[in-house]
Amino acid sequence: MSEQKLRFPILCIGLITMLSGCRVGTGVHVWQPPLAANAAGKRIAVAPPVGPRALAGELSQSIAREQPKLPQRAELVSQYELSQSDAIQLVSFDGRAPSDLALLPVAKQAGLDFLLVGEVLNDPFGDSRQPLAHDDPDFQFKLGQFLQSRDDDQILAFSWRVIDVENGQTVWANPMSVSKAFVDRTYPDLAGQQTSLSQQLQAAAGRETWKLFAPFVDQYQTELAVPWISLGAKQTREGNRYALEGEWQQAEACWRQVLAEHPRQLAALHNLAVAAVARQDYAEARRLATEALSKRDSRLFQETLVWVEARQREYHQAFGLPDPVGGWTYQASRPAAVSLGSDSRGKSQLSATD
């Protein structure tokens, strides 16, 4: 086949791609339901964490200091109040985690809803970065491998179990970790404080712990449509630039102006659905995403409609809201299995701190 004949299909493919546009990834901050249980209006007690006395004590204090300021908060019962309700000691004589058999009667007598039982898994500021002793050899081995692979950063690793006092069941059990890089990226307010790295890590650990019991804001990746050869394409891409910088109000204003002037610019219509999620208007987001899909059977538009509903489900779960009018379009996906190093959404806790 001649070179001239080869050029024609290549040009056709390029033209089709340009006309249909492409996509670009962006992050959207949305509310997430608690990882373990919604403790709004409930009573929680933190058993003294097992581990180095100084680190364990600071972790307990950071949980009390870093409780999120939500309209309906959980009541954090002090260790002193819990210990006064029964003569049973909260810490076992062998220095390991307190027994559930000892804790549950105390918790029930104190009228608690949840018990938080934890362990500090390493001492990032000690002489050795090896993990501390742990009952599970397989877990200790995996944690040791992880810590040794992260010589570039100081990591504070810890583990929590959340116990439902009423039935005595463990509803969540997983390791978590924070590092300097994680603090810089996730909690810039802590990174900017004139405090030691140890204090910053402890504060971050306290905030991460509250994600077990309270709704929190997390960033999800999604995609914006990027048009090229169509009316309003340039203005739509300008809105995209605003969105990539986190300026969603300016982005939304751009896309609305594009639609007013060029109603057939479906990339702008699609991107407005993403902007509606950014401001937590899920009814509007679903309406816009559905309209875009009805006008063009695009894979991106299909994926976005499913993504919008998934984020709306999480928002309703986070605040205990009823199902929306008309119900749900798609079946809820099964939660990912909880395993070592993963949270309830299947994200790696130990590896997510780089």
Side-chain angles (χ1 to χ4, degrees), residues 221-237:
Q221 290 296 311
T222 189
E223 293 177 316
L224 301 172
V226 183
W228 290 98
I229 305 177
S230 56
L231 295 175
K234 182 178 180 180
Q235 298 95 314
T236 301
R237 295 197 304 273

Side-chain angles (χ1 to χ4, degrees), residues 56-293:
E58 290 170 5
L59 182 57
S60 296
Q61 294 173 16
S62 72
I63 293 172
R65 288 193 303 266
E66 299 297 332
Q67 183 173 4
K69 295 177 174 59
L70 296 173
Q72 190 176 15
R73 305 173 70 188
E75 179 186 352
L76 194 62
V77 178
S78 69
Q79 296 174 8
Y80 176 78
E81 181 181 348
L82 183 60
S83 65
Q84 294 302 302
S85 65
D86 199 282
I88 300 176
Q89 290 186 337
L90 294 183
V91 182
S92 59
F93 290 106
D94 62 0
R96 302 303 300 159
S99 166
D100 292 358
L101 293 177
L103 285 173
L104 283 173
V106 179
K108 288 180 179 179
Q109 184 174 339
L112 298 178
D113 297 289
F114 297 103
L115 266 173
L116 186 62
V117 181
E119 181 175 2
V120 178
L121 300 176
N122 74 315
D123 184 354
F125 305 102
D127 295 334
S128 174
R129 294 190 59 181
Q130 295 298 317
L132 303 173
H134 192 277
D135 294 334
D136 185 348
D138 182 59
F139 177 88
Q140 183 182 11
F141 174 74
K142 291 180 179 179
L143 178 62
Q145 283 188 319
F146 171 76
L147 295 174
Q148 290 175 6
S149 69
R150 298 297 304 274
D151 291 334
D152 61 321
D153 206 359
Q154 286 182 300
I155 298 171
L156 173 61
F158 48 99
S159 180
W160 292 119
R161 282 195 306 123
V162 178
I163 302 174
D164 187 326
V165 173
E166 182 178 1
N167 56 32
Q169 297 296 313
T170 296
V171 297
W172 197 91
N174 251 321
M176 308 176 82
S177 68
V178 293
S179 67
K180 183 180 186 306
F182 177 80
V183 172
D184 292 343
R185 182 176 66 250
T186 310
Y187 301 116
D189 61 310
L190 295 178
Q193 293 178 4
Q194 298 298 318
T195 55
S196 67
L197 177 58
S198 174
Q199 291 172 311
Q200 292 176 14
L201 293 182
Q202 292 285 0
R207 294 184 184 184
E208 290 296 294
T209 299
W210 274 109
K211 291 181 179 180
L212 301 177
F213 297 109
F216 61 95
V217 175
D218 198 7
Q219 187 180 63
Y220 268 89
Q221 290 296 311
T222 189
E223 293 177 316
L224 301 172
V226 183
W228 290 98
I229 305 177
S230 56
L231 295 175
K234 182 178 180 180
Q235 298 95 314
T236 301
R237 295 197 304 273
E238 181 181 353
N240 290 2
R241 284 193 290 270
Y242 281 122
L244 292 174
E245 295 171 359
E247 302 292 341
W248 286 99
Q249 289 185 344
Q250 290 90 331
E252 190 169 358
C254 277
W255 295 327
R256 289 195 180 279
Q257 183 177 355
V258 170
L259 275 184
E261 298 174 357
H262 309 288
R264 296 184 178 180
Q265 181 49 265
L266 298 184
L269 179 63
H270 165 274
N271 295 351
L272 279 172
V274 178
V277 172
R279 55 182 168 84
Q280 313 297 319
D281 188 347
Y282 292 100
E284 176 70 359
R286 287 177 69 180
R287 185 190 70 79
L288 292 168
T290 301
E291 181 181 350
L293 183 59

